[in-house]
Amino acid sequence: MKKLTNLAAGLLLSCATYATSDQPFTQAVSVKYHVPAGLQLLKVITDYNDNVQVLTSQGFYRLSGNDLVRDLRFRPLAQKIPVDVTTRETSGHLYYLYADKCLTNGYAGVPYINLPLNKYNRVAVDATGRMLLSGNNALAIGNNGKLQELPLIGEGVQSMAANAGEFFILSAKAVYRFDGTKFVPLHAVNGATAMAFNDNDIILATTHGYYGINRRTGDTSLSLQVRVPVPDIRELLVVNGHIWAGTPEGAFMKTDSGTYRYFASRRWLDQDAVKSMAADSKGDVYILTATGLNKIAFIQQTLAQKAAYFERKIRERHIRYGFIANLQLNPPGDVGSAEMADTDNDGLWSSFYLGSQAFRYAVTHEPMAKRYAWEAFEAFERILSINQLTGFPSRTFERKGYKNSDPERWRDSPDPEWEWKGHTSSDEYVAYIWVAAVLHEMVAETPTEKQRVTAFIDKIMTHILDHQYTLVDIDNKPTLWARWGPEYINWYPTTIGDRRLGSTTIMAGLQLAYALTGKERYKTEAYKLINKYGYLKNIGIDYRTIKPTPGYLHMGIDMGMGDWNHSDDEMAFLTYWVLYNYAFTDELKQQYKGAIRNHWEVERPEKNALWNLITKATAGDQDTAATTWWLQTFPMDQITWTIKNSNRKDITLLPPNFRHQYTEVLLPLDELPTHRHNANAFTLDGGHGGESELAGDEFLLPYWMARYLKVLE
């Protein structure tokens, strides 16, 4: 293994030139607050202390920790129900409008005015303390306890605001500005729904986008913006120069680059229909719906801190006998109800976590990382020992009577307390060679540790060779997908990806087995596949030629039909690490480089950090910006909420294509359905209603690999 060690050292040295410093970045996260049942929520507002209050039809409420509670602090007001609340311009003091008075507790409680009963239902307060009051057929300004009635504006008040020392009103027909004695039309509108202020502009919302006008002249300063996530805008807010819009289908924010962040679905909001929005001094935005109070917070964290979050989350609730476990949530979204369940690919999913800990140990030499890697490997060792077959790896195992996935594929173990799942597939095999490679290379330090890894892969590869390049289950039949023999692999035309993939995975396994065991049988078989059956040529098939090729039936399945197989991409890239690093010769390495680069070029639009890093470590190509972007936008919330983006009007949809790349540019990952590396990153809609939670090891592996390769420091 000295050759591999030297290679790794050279690789790390070459990567160091391109290292990106792990600086804090802005991460959007969602906070959902506990709201008492039955409240009719009307308006959210923040004061100058960043206290968050909510006006309801049952009274005035405030946030206390994570709970919305009745505001009982001021005893004279505790049982009163405001009809409106606002904050005074510039000072941020709260003003309460009641049926018969308007007052504040700021300024020692001095500002106060008695009002005719039930005449006014809206209030805005300017920097001098003047109170603009409106109601049905009523408009007035209160100042120093006196009420000055104003001429009405015919069509009634839709909303009003104080800004930069002036009062403005939005009606169904116009924007009005107060001239000192009356409100005069500034700009005629047609269906405007809300207004907000951005420096010298007034931003106006409509049901088909938003636009801006000059606050002095009323002239259009920003054309109608229709290429927005949801044009039907009902609420507007400007926060630190960023326009926020509330819609019946979530909220969105315009970024500095001119794109939009879209916050919809239960990943972000308890429901999508936005009623009211407010911001605090940090730029976090509180979004009120009919049923809940939510916050979109913008935290500063490093990728290291993000990794620490997932490390803790996994150890807290995602480890099942060493495997990484999905969680079943009932009720949906409630992680307190989590139950760990077996899946169809426990080995594959767990290989990402084991790999992350192997790279973590290689970087940090933390004893706990080594412990976690070996604990995961114990599960891989047991998939061999729990069944009655020689060298056949079970998919997974569980205590008897508690199996979850595919009940027809479970078998009794010789141990009466346990069951094991058969029908093991090629993607599980990829997990075995991957974990054996990285564990042996980065974690196994003693002869005993190295022998554990060697014995594991030797048993599996011996079984495969003894059974004519297949995994043979307890029924004495090859499983559906674990087949690598020439009669199967070369039956595929070059336009079906299985020919290239199968050749790649078996060649990697044979090379690895030879490197670890020194058994000539593995090398001999590998060269037979190369020289007699053309497997090296298969590995070099151009991925750009893969296309639908119907008519190739395998056990009743037409292998040439359907879409691009992203699960095959996952298997291929994990295999590339093994294929390249354990190549028999430098000449083979050079040929493997070309094959890996060819695949990466096809996959590059997906910006997958793991594919980028594996390609960097083998073929030498990298996309550092995409890797960083992928790691930063990876969602903190791994619950499988139902997500919808196909309704958005700010994205460019591509014509139907074989790869199902639906959009011209990949959306941030935290706006997309939660998915693993084997899914199509361009899928716009998906999810399962919050019924499960993924672990986050899909983030940890590329993070620690980036650290190992010194792409990230």
Side-chain angles (χ1 to χ4, degrees):
M1 297 300 294
K2 184 177 180 181
K3 181 180 178 182
L4 277 176
T5 304
N6 291 339
L7 171 67
L11 177 61
L12 295 182
L13 183 63
S14 67
C15 288
T17 307
Y18 305 99
T20 298
S21 176
D22 187 12
Q23 297 296 317
F25 66 97
T26 301
Q27 179 86 60
V29 296
S30 170
V31 181
K32 300 180 180 71
Y33 297 100
H34 302 137
V35 175
L39 284 183
Q40 185 178 356
L41 307 175
L42 302 174
K43 182 178 184 180
V44 61
I45 191 167
T46 56
D47 66 16
Y48 71 104
N49 292 309
D50 282 341
N51 295 321
V52 181
Q53 291 91 4
V54 174
L55 177 63
T56 81
S57 60
Q58 294 97 323
F60 199 54
Y61 281 70
R62 64 182 177 87
L63 269 186
S64 176
N66 223 39
D67 299 306
L68 193 65
V69 300
R70 185 73 180 258
D71 190 354
L72 305 175
R73 294 171 300 166
F74 293 95
R75 288 184 294 170
L77 305 180
Q79 302 308 315
K80 295 181 180 294
I81 301 178
V83 294
D84 194 17
V85 290
T86 192
T87 55
R88 181 166 167 170
E89 183 191 3
T90 69
S91 79
H93 280 298
L94 272 178
Y95 278 66
Y96 305 78
L97 174 63
Y98 295 100
D100 59 350
K101 60 180 64 69
C102 188
L103 57 86
T104 181
N105 296 310
Y107 307 102
V110 173
Y112 179 97
I113 189 169
N114 286 311
L115 300 170
L117 186 64
N118 295 324
K119 189 170 184 178
Y120 301 102
N121 55 28
R122 286 190 180 89
V123 62
V125 182
D126 71 4
T128 67
R130 293 185 303 170
M131 307 173 192
L132 174 62
L133 302 157
S134 71
N136 295 329
N137 298 313
L139 192 61
I141 284 183
N143 193 19
N144 295 322
K146 297 180 180 179
L147 194 65
Q148 173 193 355
E149 292 194 3
L150 300 175
L152 298 178
I153 58 165
E155 64 267 24
V157 175
Q158 190 165 298
S159 66
M160 57 191 201
N163 183 265
E166 294 186 290
F167 285 121
F168 294 87
I169 286 176
L170 175 66
S171 77
K173 295 183 178 179
V175 176
Y176 292 83
R177 186 177 65 225
F178 188 55
D179 69 358
T181 60
K182 64 183 181 301
F183 278 90
V184 296
L186 174 66
H187 174 82
V189 302
N190 180 16
T193 56
M195 67 177 174
F197 298 84
N198 190 18
D199 294 331
N200 292 321
D201 290 339
I202 302 174
I203 308 301
L204 296 171
T206 76
T207 55
H208 43 276
Y210 69 87
Y211 67 103
I213 62 171
N214 183 279
R215 63 181 297 138
R216 306 308 308 168
T217 66
D219 295 334
T220 300
S221 56
L222 175 68
S223 62
L224 183 65
Q225 304 295 295
V226 296
R227 192 174 169 80
V228 298
V230 181
D232 186 2
I233 301 170
R234 308 299 176 84
E235 295 289 326
L236 273 179
L237 189 66
V238 175
V239 183
N240 298 329
H242 295 124
I243 295 172
W244 281 77
T247 81
E249 299 177 78
F252 62 84
M253 177 194 78
K254 188 173 185 179
T255 68
D256 290 333
S257 65
T259 61
Y260 293 93
R261 291 301 316 272
Y262 182 42
F263 304 105
S265 84
R266 289 190 61 192
R267 177 181 290 161
W268 299 106
L269 308 174
D270 72 295
Q271 66 158 287
D272 284 346
V274 176
K275 292 196 69 171
S276 175
M277 299 187 297
D280 62 21
S281 63
K282 299 184 295 293
D284 296 341
V285 174
Y286 296 84
I287 299 177
L288 192 71
T289 70
T291 52
L293 177 63
N294 314 268
K295 178 171 72 171
I296 308 299
F298 296 92
I299 63 174
Q300 291 291 306
Q301 66 175 359
T302 62
L303 291 173
Q305 291 170 321
K306 189 171 183 177
Y309 165 79
F310 285 117
E311 299 275 9
R312 180 62 242 159
K313 178 173 109 71
I314 286 172
R315 301 312 302 184
E316 179 183 336
R317 58 181 186 261
H318 288 278
I319 301 296
R320 186 183 71 89
Y321 312 131
F323 288 127
I324 278 287
N326 289 354
L327 301 182
Q328 294 181 338
L329 308 179
N330 186 18
D334 180 9
V335 296
S337 69
E339 293 182 352
M340 294 188 292
D342 61 83
T343 70
D344 202 40
N345 288 117
D346 280 358
L348 180 58
W349 308 143
S350 301
S351 74
F352 288 97
Y353 180 63
L354 190 156
S356 76
Q357 299 310 294
F359 283 100
R360 176 186 171 192
Y361 184 67
V363 171
T364 67
H365 298 291
E366 295 173 10
M368 199 58 74
K370 183 172 184 176
R371 173 177 174 172
Y372 292 160
W374 282 116
E375 285 180 354
F377 189 63
E378 288 173 355
F380 282 93
E381 290 177 308
R382 195 162 189 227
I383 62 176
L384 289 174
S385 64
I386 200 168
N387 67 52
Q388 49 273 70
L389 303 175
T390 301
F392 180 85
S394 314
R395 274 188 184 269
T396 189
F397 53 83
E398 183 54 274
R399 297 186 189 275
K400 198 170 185 67
Y402 291 92
K403 55 184 175 285
N404 173 65
S405 62
D406 304 314
E408 74 281 359
R409 295 178 178 176
W410 286 78
R411 295 85 162 92
D412 290 330
S413 170
D415 184 337
E417 294 296 318
W418 294 84
E419 295 175 281
W420 60 276
K421 185 178 179 182
H423 205 71
T424 307
S425 67
S426 53
D427 42 5
E428 290 293 286
Y429 159 82
V430 165
Y432 309 148
I433 62 173
W434 160 256
V435 300
V438 297
L439 198 64
H440 193 272
E441 193 173 332
M442 301 173 194
V443 182
E445 296 171 302
T446 68
T448 299
E449 289 173 339
K450 288 185 179 295
Q451 180 53 36
R452 282 179 67 182
V453 182
T454 298
F456 171 75
I457 204 65
D458 190 28
K459 290 174 184 176
I460 294 173
M461 295 306 298
T462 296
H463 175 100
I464 290 173
L465 293 187
D466 286 349
H467 293 85
Q468 290 75 51
Y469 286 103
T470 63
L471 288 177
V472 174
D473 208 336
I474 199 168
D475 59 4
N476 205 33
K477 296 179 181 179
T479 65
L480 180 61
W481 302 119
R483 301 162 186 254
W484 297 274
E487 73 288 345
Y488 176 76
I489 294 296
N490 289 336
W491 166 74
Y492 287 105
T494 58
T495 52
I496 295 180
D498 298 72
R499 181 168 182 145
R500 170 171 164 156
L501 178 65
S503 301
T504 301
T505 56
I506 195 61
M507 188 60 60
L510 291 170
Q511 291 178 164
L512 174 68
Y514 174 74
L516 269 55
T517 69
K519 293 182 179 180
E520 286 295 330
R521 181 188 188 189
Y522 295 123
K523 190 172 187 179
T524 299
E525 287 294 324
Y527 273 107
K528 182 169 72 174
L529 294 179
I530 290 175
N531 296 325
K532 186 176 180 180
Y533 296 107
Y535 276 38
L536 183 58
K537 185 177 180 181
N538 291 344
I539 292 171
I541 290 171
D542 189 341
Y543 254 108
R544 293 169 295 184
T545 66
I546 304 301
K547 61 183 180 180
T549 312
Y552 287 83
L553 298 177
H554 169 61
M555 297 183 71
I557 302 170
D558 193 329
M559 302 298 293
M561 290 297 289
D563 309 319
W564 185 275
N565 193 325
H566 295 274
S567 182
D568 286 358
D569 295 329
E570 176 182 53
M571 288 190 280
F573 276 94
L574 285 182
T575 301
Y576 291 153
W577 181 278
V578 186
L579 181 75
Y580 178 84
N581 284 330
Y582 293 85
F584 294 131
T585 66
D586 288 339
E587 182 183 0
L588 280 175
K589 277 191 173 183
Q590 292 304 312
Q591 294 184 71
Y592 295 156
K593 270 189 177 184
I596 296 168
R597 180 178 293 115
N598 170 258
H599 194 174
W600 177 70
E601 287 172 349
V602 172
E603 290 294 305
R604 192 170 181 181
E606 296 187 13
K607 300 185 178 181
N608 187 291
L610 187 54
W611 305 169
N612 288 339
L613 292 164
I614 290 175
T615 303
K616 170 60 182 172
T618 54
D621 300 280
Q622 69 172 343
D623 187 339
T624 302
T627 297
T628 303
W629 177 90
W630 191 98
L631 291 169
Q632 290 181 348
T633 68
F634 187 90
M636 302 289 287
D637 184 347
Q638 287 290 289
I639 296 174
T640 57
W641 299 116
T642 299
I643 305 286
K644 183 179 180 182
N645 286 288
S646 59
N647 60 315
R648 295 174 63 162
K649 301 299 185 287
D650 63 322
I651 56 179
T652 300
L653 297 176
L654 297 181
N657 56 82
F658 180 43
R659 287 183 54 80
H660 277 194
Q661 182 176 335
Y662 296 106
T663 56
E664 190 173 57
V665 178
L666 184 66
L667 292 174
L669 303 189
D670 57 3
E671 297 178 25
L672 293 167
T674 299
H675 63 274
R676 288 190 156 108
H677 289 293
N678 67 333
N680 178 10
F682 284 92
T683 297
L684 296 173
D685 303 338
H688 300 283
E691 294 179 350
S692 61
E693 183 191 35
L694 302 185
D697 48 293
E698 289 86 358
F699 172 88
L700 288 180
L701 178 54
Y703 169 76
W704 285 112
M705 188 180 286
R707 292 281 305 276
Y708 175 78
L709 297 174
K710 297 191 181 300
V711 173
L712 177 69
E713 288 185 337

